[in-house]
Amino acid sequence: CSDKTGTLTQNRMTVVHVMVGDTIYTSKTATTEQTFDTTDPLFKEAFYVMANCAKAEFDSGDMEKFPDKPIIERVVNGDASEAGILKFCEQIEPVMAVRARNPQVGGIPFNSTNKFMVTIHKDESNPGMLKQCFKGAPERVLERCSKILTREGVVDCTPEQVARVNEHLATLMDNGERVLGLALTSYAPPPAAEADKFFDQDAPGFPMQGMTFVGLTALLDPPRESVPGAVERCQSAGVQVIMVTGDHPATAKAIAKSIGIIKDPTAQDLAKMRGVELDQIDRSEVKSVVVPGWELKDFEEDDWNRILAHEQIVFARTSPQQKLIIVENCQRLGKIVAVTGDGVNDSPALKKANIGVAMGIAGSDVSKEAADMILLDDNFSSIVSGIEEGRLIFDNLKKSIAYTLSSNIPELTPFLVFIITGVPSALSTILILCIDLGTDMIPAISFAYEKAEADIMERPPRDAKRDRLVNRVLVCFSYLQLGIYQAVAGYFTYMVIWNDYMLHPSSILGLDGGGNWAQPAEDNRRWFFSEHERLQKQSFDRSFFTEDDYPTYFNGAQPGFIEATTARFKDLVPTPSSDSSLPLGASDNAQFNNMIKAVGTELGRPFCLEFACQPSGAADFVLNDYDACFSDPATSGTVYYTGVNTGKKNPNVVESEDEGEGCIFSWTYDQQKQTYLRAQTGYFDTVIIVRTCIAFVCKTRLLAVTPRLIWGNKIHLIGVFSMILMIVGLTYIPGLNTAFGAAPILGRHWLPGIPWAIIILIFGETRKLLMRMGVKNPNFKLGAWLRKYAYW
């Protein structure tokens, strides 16, 4: 709901017409010449009222500083209408001199309720008499006049003369001019004892009826050049602009038409065009309406519903109190209402509105205090710019939130999977912090620098109850689509790396269920053994050397074994023996040798690396002979796992899963840790690679991501490149990767994440394309459904 004067118009009132003696005269402007005669007695009477019935004055400071400034450019202290009249009169005769010769002794100031102003002066032309000037809304002036000034003199005001004045009034107002009526009356001053009572403003003793109608003065306040375009932008954005003004309905209608608030004919226009009575017009075909304020007092709820159902609405001759009623009824219908106002009486409406907008230049301190926003330039176009800026901020916050929330699922999933399945967590706590406080920081902030999308002022207003910053659709989009997708992509790379390091994904299930895999606490570390058809081929089974998995060997010495007294890795280190009689690489750690013999016996297959034993009766050590070393533990003697120190492979492995074939690979703590760190790093790197494309998916909500949009936000590009640089640095820079719990990965382990990134980008753009198709063609049901339920 917008005021007209100063907001939709330039607030530069200029007198363009004066009507006296049943004739409309023009004043001198940039496009017209003066047609009235300043010596005309009728014009002099009108000039007297215009010069004296006012409070406006030229600013003394401006006059002192710029004494030669043209009259039209001078600063005036007073409202716009009085300023226009003051400048008009000053060009004819110095106004302050006129007022000095006719000092004011009483009166009633103008207010928005009365819509008139009264001043009483000592009459220089008739000393001893008082001359009362009356200026205000033409209908308020005419109803108080019983006489009218004509070329034939002062005569009784007949209905025919009133009708003639109204014809002139309609002519002027159809041009969008603000018209004021002028009237005079003279009388003798009251006795001194009764002066206070006579001049009382609340209960005046001076006559308020029976005055003489002098004429009309019409002022033009042209619309601001930017307003028609701004109104059109509002309407395209689904924002209804309702003009609320104190002007006459005809003036308000003309201005509303010139700026595009009213585009279609009103019911009265249709009746006139068709030559029928007003009640014969079908109201359902009427889109525009002009409602005078005097009708509002009789409105019931149904009347308000009928009026506010129109697309184009103007309220004219309204008071500030009625503006409050308009706001309340708009809100009752579920509308979000913004109201402009500048006066003290506008404060209730400004306070009641969802958004109160006070005028920074013309606004009173009280209105500014009541408002939510102050318009520094008093320009309606600035409100439209504010709407666009608000939508841009809302859009960018949504984009940043959607992008930021999408990292939660790939961060949370590894812990849930670990708890449920025992798969080692694919992401460490410190790498989660690297995402939240490192790689995501610049891209998330960069969304604040996004420019407005091309359709930002073509969208309908959002549903304030449903379409919040974080709503159901955005959560589903970020969590269930982008989030789960990233987690799946990360786990794909995670499993690829495990697989490339000989552990089949099936072997990963429950791997860390007992809390023994690559544990940082020394007491929890255990030897891990995986079973393969051959070395470098994926595992098909695995086990830890623990008391639970090998209980027999911890319950006393068995034939061919010593009693296992420890399962801790630090107690089972294969320290190379210095005994030259033992095979090269053999360990003199009896508990370690006992563990190797127990594992080989229980698993029923040889080791992938070299081993040796000296069975009973054998003259020398036997190398890589499963039958000799593990088939009969009682006679095989000590089994030395030499390959663990030399790295030599067992050449006798038979590729098979059958008993006695295939091989066992032993995992030291360092091997467990490095493989685990590489798998975690692969998961982390893949998630970030996918997130670089998600940053572009979240760059727009509906429009396609074009090169212009990509290069339009350099900060966003810097953010995306920073993500790549960070993960490369965390992966390969020595010391840095150690500090952040990462490890170098093979070049081929970057590749699995790239297709996932490309697919999510294609998915995001296809989704937006389908929604755009649904907007253009509502019959395209998939696109319309996506636009309704998937537009976040």
Side-chain angles (χ1 to χ4, degrees), residues 22-33:
D22 199 28
T23 304
I24 296 177
Y25 299 96
T26 60
S27 65
K28 182 175 178 57
T29 65
T31 58
T32 60
E33 293 296 327

Side-chain angles (χ1 to χ4, degrees), residues 742-771:
I745 61 175
L746 300 175
R748 67 174 184 268
H749 290 153
W750 290 92
L751 300 179
I754 296 175
W756 291 90
I758 295 172
I759 291 170
I760 194 63
L761 186 59
I762 295 172
F763 164 79
E765 292 306 297
T766 303
R767 172 181 160 277
K768 286 183 272 190
L769 172 63
L770 292 174
M771 286 197 291

